[in-house]
Amino acid sequence: MTEVIIGSRESKLAVLQSEMVKSYIEQKNREENAGSEITVNILTMKTTGDIILDRTLDKVGGKGLFVKELDRALLDGKSNLSVHSLKDMPMEVPKELPLLAFSKREDPRDVLVLPEGVAELDPDKPLGCSSLRRTLQLKKLYPEMEVKSIRGNLQTRLRKLDEGEYSGLILAAAGLKRLGLENRISRYFTPDEMIPSAGQGILAVQGRKGEDYGYLDGYCDRDAWIAGTAERAYVKYLDGGCSSPVAAFAEVDGDEIFIRGLYYSEATGKWLTGQIRGAAEDGEKLGTVLAKQLKSDCEGR
């Protein structure tokens, strides 16, 4: 019998996402009946990013804080793979811990969530938002509203909202839908209104170099892999993450890819959005081309 241990953050959403991968492996093993039975268990742990909640991520180290402990468990052999929200993954991934597969993409859009029983925003209370990317775009959508940082897992944020601390929250549709909380969504923002975070809605499965991951065959979604790789190439060129309000969103339609991007120049205080279209097989290259173009246009080079 083979045991597969999945490393996961301990939040309800993270565990649910790991259980989705667990179910795939178990179902595949049952269907193939390969003779060697697989048992799958989830090892949960609290990451540094889950512990430090009194400061915004750009002040304490960015996206890497959500993966450090999971990476260590993989390297030490305590787990066989990790499941992450791709949007929480650093752009630089250790060569010994490669990304193995991306899930089919859930709804990638950002959404507005109002307190339970409330029909419209209260202008006297702030909007709760966890990223500079969203904050920047919200100022255009709601110029009259104050935007205030909010940290913590999804349930914690919703509790603070319902207790009256905020007039509304800006969250990812994917997490709400996976937790069965779609009914809390008051408004969906189109990708033109608010460009999503790179990788939003995609689960990333990370493993250890040299290990056999045949039990994951068929899990990786082709369109999500092309789109996610293109988005990460865009952000990687701009050295963006939680500390920089960079956004990228790619849509794959057969052999074509369409990429939207946002770039903010700290030097000038200006920000621009742009788009590029081309062959899906060139997605990674196109992401970099768009990043170079927007950076040049924004900084006047």
Side-chain angles (χ1 to χ4, degrees), residues 4-6 17-18 20-29 32 38 40 74 80-83 98-103 203-208 211-221 225:
V4 175
I5 299 174
I6 299 175
Q17 293 175 164
S18 294
M20 292 165 68
V21 177
K22 176 179 184 283
S23 295
Y24 177 85
I25 296 170
E26 291 173 336
Q27 179 68 22
K28 178 179 170 62
N29 185 64
E32 295 187 349
I38 293 177
V40 188
L74 265 179
N80 303 96
L81 53 88
S82 301
V83 176
L99 295 178
L100 306 172
F102 292 169
S103 73
L203 301 183
V205 182
Q206 186 177 23
R208 192 167 48 243
E211 196 160 317
D212 180 10
Y213 289 101
Y215 51 79
L216 281 172
D217 287 351
Y219 178 78
C220 189
D221 182 81
W225 185 268

Side-chain angles (χ1 to χ4, degrees), residues 38-257:
I38 293 177
T39 62
V40 188
N41 294 301
I42 297 173
L43 173 67
T44 62
M45 60 198 81
K46 192 183 287 286
T47 68
T48 305
D50 298 313
I51 296 168
I52 303 174
L53 299 175
D54 59 342
R55 284 161 283 169
T56 56
L57 288 176
D58 59 302
K59 301 290 194 298
V60 291
K63 292 176 184 282
L65 296 181
F66 289 120
V67 304
K68 190 165 58 173
E69 286 77 8
L70 295 172
D71 283 358
R72 177 48 55 193
L74 265 179
L75 288 168
D76 291 346
K78 293 178 181 176
S79 63
N80 303 96
L81 53 88
S82 301
V83 176
H84 305 276
S85 292
L86 182 59
K87 69 173 185 169
D88 292 333
M89 292 290 293
M91 296 305 127
E92 297 288 349
V93 176
K95 288 183 180 179
E96 61 269 31
L97 299 177
L99 295 178
L100 306 172
F102 292 169
S103 73
K104 183 175 176 61
R105 193 169 214 161
E106 178 53 274
D107 192 329
R109 293 173 293 179
D110 286 306
V111 298
L112 171 68
V113 177
L114 296 175
E116 282 197 296
V118 173
E120 57 187 39
L121 288 168
D122 180 349
D124 295 326
K125 292 179 181 177
L127 283 169
C129 174
S130 62
S131 76
L132 292 168
R133 169 189 66 82
R134 287 173 177 153
T135 299
L136 201 64
Q137 297 181 90
L138 279 173
K139 288 176 181 176
K140 188 173 180 180
L141 290 166
Y142 299 103
E144 75 287 355
M145 296 290 295
E146 176 194 357
V147 180
K148 184 179 175 184
S149 175
I150 182 170
R151 295 284 314 283
N153 62 39
L154 193 54
Q155 285 73 22
T156 299
R157 296 185 199 191
L158 290 173
R159 176 179 54 76
K160 290 180 177 180
L161 172 70
D162 293 335
E163 288 175 353
E165 291 187 42
Y166 299 86
S167 64
L169 298 181
I170 311 302
L171 299 168
L176 290 162
K177 288 187 172 185
R178 286 179 180 138
L179 286 169
L181 296 172
E182 188 174 355
N183 63 308
R184 292 300 309 262
I185 297 172
S186 299
R187 174 185 173 181
Y188 289 87
F189 298 105
T190 69
D192 287 320
E193 290 176 317
M194 186 175 292
I195 301 176
S197 175
Q200 190 154 295
I202 299 173
L203 301 183
V205 182
Q206 186 177 23
R208 192 167 48 243
K209 190 175 181 181
E211 196 160 317
D212 180 10
Y213 289 101
Y215 51 79
L216 281 172
D217 287 351
Y219 178 78
C220 189
D221 182 81
R222 177 249 185 196
D223 288 358
W225 185 268
I226 292 171
T229 302
E231 291 163 14
R232 287 172 63 79
Y234 175 93
V235 178
K236 186 176 179 179
Y237 177 81
L238 297 173
D239 196 28
C242 282
S243 61
S244 178
V246 171
F249 176 57
E251 295 175 280
V252 178
D253 182 9
D255 294 331
E256 275 202 334
I257 189 169

